[in-house]
Amino acid sequence: DVKEAYNCWLQYRKVDNDKLFQLYFKSVAAVSNSLIIQSVIQELELAFHSMYGKGPDISQQIHEQTTLILATYQDIKLADYGLNGDIFQEINDEGYVIKSSKNGDKEAILLIGKTDKGVLYATHHLLRLIQTGETLKELNILESPRNKIRMINQWDNMNGSIERGYAGKSIFYENNKITSNMERIKDYARLLSSVGVNAISINNVNVWKVETNLITNVLLPDVAKIADILRAYGIKTFLSINFASPIEIGDLTTADPLDNDVKQWWKQKVEEIYRYIPDFGGFVVKADSEHRPGPFSYNRNHADGANLLGEALQPFNGIVIWRCFVYNCMQDWRDRSTDRARAAYDHFKPLDGHFLDNVILQIKNGPMDFQVREPVSPLFGALESTNQVLEFQITQEYLGQQRDLCYLVPMWKEVLEFDTYSKGAGSTVKTIVDGSLFSSKISGIASVSNIGNDVNWTGHTLAQANLFGYGRLIWNPDLAAEEISREWIQLTFGNDETVIEQINHMLLDSWGIYENYTTPLGIGWMVNPNHHYGPNVDGYEYSRWGTYHFADRDGIGVDRTMETGTGYTGQYFSPNKEMFNSLDTCPDELLLFFHHVPYTHTLKSGETVIQHYYNSHFKGVEQVEELIARWILLEDKIDSYRFHNVLERLKMQLKNAKEWRDQVNTYFYRKSGIPDEKNRKIY
Ligand code: GCU
């Protein structure tokens, strides 16, 4: 049975507590009404049938039997339930209150949203409390999402393939058409909204020929069908667009952002889109990046390009999400003066303040490309007068491709907690993207999805934790990685303490393990070109992508210092600038990102670089063996499909880890001639 795998964290496992049902859920009043409230009622019916074997009576009026009340704060007399309306001034439009109260002489639970979206999120909060076995007594919860934009980017192509997808094919498209399986999209919307995601772009940032047509009247009616489903779950639909559209699907000969015909073309195009989708979110744009067209072709800059679209979208309150992943991907490896890490800052910092206020720059968490460890992009903090969105990658492109286990919340937390010092101490990334540090009009977090049409959505069942964790973390960046993982395990696998403890260990250790057997000390890459799975130490060493480790017989690492290197460290604010720039203060885990050092350089840990490489690679493999041992303990406690799915993946991971260990160790032993102090097997 694959039901458990499919339902992810919305299991709604049976609750043997009829009393609870009688006490709180027998009689529900949904006082407010809207499309979203209809979804809430559907979800409640489904959940209660599954948990208690019966559904509640649902009415619109509160009557004397009512014990669960759903409403927006304007639709109910708050004072009757001991609530003061002022608290709704403290929360934003998506926030909510969950409160235990009385309806006459009966106990009652109130789910009060500032808007209907708040009611939706409150409902999922309540369902989580039920499923994790928390008490439902004396509830008094006030929640409000920290980030305004909480977005997912699908990298789906219309032929059904997914760029960097590791869980089957697209759930949105097949055979160059929009799918007719709207049920699956609805289930995706349920999953996303249950963790607070409120925006999605439904096609790849690389917009190829067919996808360019998504904004034409041929495909817009079908896009509108998807938007209809997502809207009922509080999720706005966005499209990635091709900057050269005026040429490719219009009859213009230029896409020059300052050309009047081009401006007119986009205005009409946007009007047309809003006729089909009145609450369309806007555009995501990858321009002048990895051969995609953009303003550079016309000697215009990225502000010209983004503002062209911003102006067209403004009358409809649409936004432009303009990606900063702009760098020279035709670099000559002999050229030591170009440093890809510098590129985003060099391109966009000078344009700070030049963007319209419905334009948002989307910045990857690190300066390179989602490696196992990168410093935080120095653009965070450097743009004081520009809206921005942080981009994470849930799909595990460089992180084991959902064959290897890698729970990403701890990594994302480090990024969000990083202090940029842009306005002195406390200028953390999370305060930049939540809009508070620079009083940004609109900001938030986006991430590349990890789902496809595999029965369990994510290929590796435990990779579901990353999608869940992403949503929970960006709702509230102060949650601990472990709180999120525990909650996910309980919802997904139940409340058995052994299961919780073992899986929790596995998840929390997994990023470090992956780092150990791949590329510790911040150097990254060393992967097989193109598909990016498995080791190939020199795979990108003489390529045009700007991704080098510079290993020779004496040492390894990239000198990005101000004195002798590329000067990249100078893009940070003090004291980060000095901290990264100096060998003495640069943290071990990022050492080789910033410095070229001899293999015999001693780390703060006391090990030499080369010995650390040997040690961590041997250790990484042992740790994968431990993961397998932990998982095997759970055989009787987990359904067979999910148990075997994970076991099979862990075995693939072990094979991969050994390959990494042996190739990396052998490579560096041959380069350096320095033997392993512990005399272990190196080939
Ligand atoms: C990476 C990835 C590409 C993707 C690109 C992007 O380079 O390998 O597949 O298109 O990022 O973020 O645009």
Side-chain angles (χ1 to χ4, degrees):
D1 193 3
V2 296
K3 191 173 96 274
E4 287 91 353
Y6 184 84
N7 288 341
C8 298
W9 54 88
L10 300 179
Q11 299 288 326
Y12 304 136
R13 264 183 330 278
K14 211 168 158 27
V15 178
D16 278 325
N17 194 341
D18 195 54
K19 261 201 220 136
L20 211 62
F21 182 80
Q22 300 299 337
L23 188 59
Y24 293 117
F25 307 130
K26 203 173 163 337
S27 179
V28 176
V31 178
S32 307
N33 195 10
S34 73
L35 188 66
I36 290 178
I37 299 285
Q38 290 305 317
S39 307
V40 172
I41 293 173
Q42 265 185 35
E43 194 71 22
L44 275 182
E45 301 247 21
L46 186 130
F48 287 137
H49 272 286
S50 168
M51 293 189 296
Y52 300 108
K54 55 197 154 202
D57 309 322
I58 297 178
S59 65
Q60 204 174 355
Q61 267 78 42
I62 299 173
H63 51 75
E64 54 184 28
Q65 298 304 320
T66 305
T67 46
L68 180 64
I69 300 172
L70 278 59
T72 62
Y73 83 115
Q74 283 153 326
D75 285 351
I76 177 170
K77 278 206 201 116
L78 295 168
D80 288 0
Y81 305 94
L83 274 166
N84 181 339
D86 290 350
I87 54 172
F88 287 93
Q89 304 318 313
E90 288 169 34
I91 59 180
N92 59 37
D93 279 356
E94 296 173 305
Y96 58 84
V97 168
I98 300 181
K99 183 147 170 58
S100 298
S101 185
K102 288 259 173 199
N103 176 33
D105 55 6
K106 272 187 160 343
E107 280 200 52
I109 297 177
L110 279 82
L111 307 181
I112 313 291
K114 183 121 175 212
T115 64
D116 53 0
K117 282 170 90 177
V119 179
L120 172 66
Y121 300 140
T123 302
H124 278 291
H125 192 139
L126 177 72
L127 291 169
R128 285 197 295 270
L129 293 178
I130 301 173
Q131 284 281 282
T132 53
E134 296 291 321
T135 174
L136 301 181
K137 282 198 169 57
E138 290 169 42
L139 298 174
N140 194 2
I141 295 165
L142 180 75
E143 279 277 338
S144 190
R146 192 79 67 77
N147 293 292
K148 276 200 203 104
I149 299 179
R150 301 182 303 279
M151 186 166 192
I152 285 285
N153 296 156
Q154 294 298 138
W155 280 3
D156 297 31
N157 300 314
M158 288 194 68
N159 65 10
S161 66
I162 302 175
E163 182 148 341
R164 312 307 177 187
Y166 310 104
K169 297 211 145 205
S170 173
I171 66 163
F172 290 91
Y173 314 99
E174 57 210 352
N175 302 321
N176 290 324
K177 293 202 175 68
I178 287 178
T179 180
S180 52
N181 184 357
M182 292 292 162
E183 273 307 301
R184 183 113 200 205
I185 295 180
K186 180 173 162 183
D187 284 337
Y188 191 35
R190 290 176 48 232
L191 287 169
L192 293 179
S193 67
S194 76
V195 290
V197 168
N198 65 3
I200 186 169
S201 57
I202 59 170
N203 63 305
N204 189 0
V205 288
N206 293 312
V207 184
W208 311 115
K209 201 163 173 54
V210 190
E211 295 80 8
T212 301
N213 294 297
L214 280 166
I215 53 171
T216 63
N217 60 15
V218 181
L219 291 172
L220 277 170
D222 288 335
V223 175
K225 284 185 198 152
I226 295 180
D228 287 345
I229 292 176
L230 299 171
R231 178 181 304 115
Y233 291 88
I235 302 169
K236 270 196 187 219
T237 302
F238 288 69
L239 290 170
S240 302
I241 56 98
N242 181 340
F243 193 79
S245 295
I247 305 172
E248 296 204 13
I249 54 172
D251 49 15
L252 302 187
T253 52
T254 176
D256 181 350
L258 300 191
D259 182 282
N260 278 328
D261 291 340
V262 171
K263 288 186 182 179
Q264 209 39 45
W265 189 89
W266 278 111
K267 282 190 178 145
Q268 280 170 4
K269 184 44 76 185
V270 167
E271 273 170 34
E272 187 186 356
I273 297 172
Y274 278 87
R275 280 203 293 278
Y276 289 94
I277 308 165
D279 58 349
F280 181 63
F283 296 143
V284 173
V285 194
K286 172 173 179 175
D288 291 316
S289 166
E290 300 181 331
H291 309 295
R292 303 314 299 148
F296 286 167
S297 310
Y298 310 97
N299 287 322
R300 311 295 184 199
N301 66 32
H302 280 250
D304 299 328
N307 291 343
L308 161 76
L309 302 171
E311 222 178 285
L313 285 158
Q314 230 161 20
F316 304 92
N317 293 320
I319 60 176
V320 185
I321 301 183
W322 189 272
R323 297 177 79 235
C324 293
F325 188 58
V326 178
Y327 68 98
N328 176 7
C329 67
M330 296 296 281
Q331 195 179 326
D332 184 337
W333 60 269
R334 298 166 193 86
D335 166 19
R336 295 295 293 261
S337 65
T338 305
D339 178 6
R340 170 166 165 184
R342 294 186 56 117
Y345 183 103
D346 285 344
H347 282 296
F348 287 94
K349 166 73 184 161
L351 299 177
D352 187 22
H354 294 253
F355 295 92
L356 292 178
D357 65 4
N358 65 334
V359 171
I360 305 173
L361 297 186
Q362 180 161 312
I363 308 165
K364 288 191 183 186
N365 62 268
M368 297 297 277
D369 196 8
F370 303 129
Q371 299 303 293
V372 67
R373 196 180 289 267
E374 290 186 39
V376 167
S377 168
L379 257 187
F380 291 108
L383 300 173
E384 296 187 18
S385 321
T386 304
N387 299 315
Q388 51 208 292
V389 156
L390 164 64
E391 178 176 337
F392 285 132
Q393 196 185 42
I394 312 178
T395 194
Q396 291 167 237
E397 175 176 0
Y398 294 97
L399 296 169
Q401 306 198 348
Q402 284 138 250
R403 284 179 252 183
D404 301 29
L405 180 64
C406 196
Y407 174 57
L408 295 166
V409 174
M411 177 205 271
W412 297 333
K413 270 214 73 99
E414 280 194 20
V415 172
L416 292 167
E417 297 296 338
F418 179 75
D419 196 343
T420 67
Y421 289 95
S422 96
K423 285 173 87 178
S427 308
T428 53
V429 171
K430 70 181 176 192
T431 67
I432 294 170
V433 297
D434 73 12
S436 59
L437 192 71
F438 299 125
S439 311
S440 322
K441 186 165 164 247
I442 177 157
S443 59
I445 304 183
S447 188
V448 186
S449 173
N450 65 346
I451 69 109
N453 71 356
D454 274 5
V455 58
N456 66 357
W457 300 85
T458 53
H460 197 313
T461 299
L462 300 186
Q464 293 173 355
N466 286 329
L467 187 60
F468 175 88
Y470 168 70
R472 299 288 290 126
L473 181 68
I474 66 173
W475 176 281
N476 178 6
D478 293 335
L479 290 174
E482 174 159 12
E483 275 176 89
I484 295 175
S485 56
R486 277 190 80 92
E487 189 182 61
W488 176 77
I489 299 164
Q490 288 182 273
L491 294 171
T492 306
F493 293 107
N495 298 319
D496 181 303
E497 263 312 316
T498 316
V499 174
I500 299 172
E501 197 194 310
Q502 295 304 329
I503 300 181
N504 209 21
H505 250 290
M506 293 174 70
L507 293 177
L508 292 172
D509 291 349
S510 59
W511 173 37
I513 295 175
Y514 189 80
E515 183 177 36
N516 278 344
Y517 64 77
T518 58
T519 57
L521 305 181
I523 190 74
W525 308 99
M526 303 193 196
V527 286
N528 282 303
N530 308 319
H531 63 73
H532 300 165
Y533 188 75
N536 185 340
V537 180
D538 281 339
Y540 275 111
E541 197 55 20
Y542 304 99
S543 75
R544 57 189 173 81
W545 299 96
T547 49
Y548 316 115
H549 54 64
F550 300 120
D552 59 18
R553 64 176 188 176
D554 301 318
I556 177 175
V558 189
D559 185 350
R560 293 192 160 106
T561 62
M562 292 178 280
E563 296 77 16
T564 52
T566 67
Y568 166 79
T569 52
Q571 294 183 340
Y572 290 92
F573 290 88
S574 295
N576 290 335
K577 189 195 295 242
E578 294 78 13
M579 186 258 297
F580 288 136
N581 197 65
S582 151
L583 251 185
D584 295 335
T585 50
C586 183
D588 280 352
E589 72 261 17
L590 285 168
L591 183 75
L592 304 180
F593 193 92
F594 289 103
H595 298 274
H596 185 90
V597 297
Y599 294 117
T600 51
H601 174 84
T602 306
L603 298 168
K604 297 195 176 50
S605 67
E607 291 169 323
T608 60
V609 166
I610 189 81
Q611 195 55 42
H612 181 86
Y613 248 62
Y614 296 148
N615 289 348
S616 62
H617 282 84
F618 283 112
K619 183 168 172 204
V621 171
E622 286 160 21
Q623 289 175 303
V624 177
E625 281 160 351
E626 274 167 37
L627 289 177
I628 295 176
R630 283 188 196 280
W631 185 252
I632 285 175
L633 292 177
L634 308 180
E635 174 150 24
D636 298 338
K637 295 174 182 284
I638 286 174
D639 56 285
S640 149
Y641 181 85
R642 291 188 298 180
F643 178 78
H644 286 106
N645 164 271
V646 172
L647 186 60
E648 204 184 287
R649 304 268 155 166
L650 289 170
K651 287 180 180 162
M652 291 192 247
Q653 179 173 8
L654 182 60
K655 207 167 153 218
N656 189 37
K658 286 181 176 164
E659 201 56 34
W660 271 97
R661 175 195 65 192
D662 293 337
Q663 286 203 30
V664 170
N665 284 347
T666 302
Y667 178 98
F668 287 103
Y669 174 60
R670 288 182 187 172
K671 277 257 148 141
S672 69
I674 302 173
D676 170 33
E677 278 169 5
K678 298 188 185 158
N679 233 335
R680 290 161 292 194
K681 180 80 183 158
I682 294 180
Y683 295 86

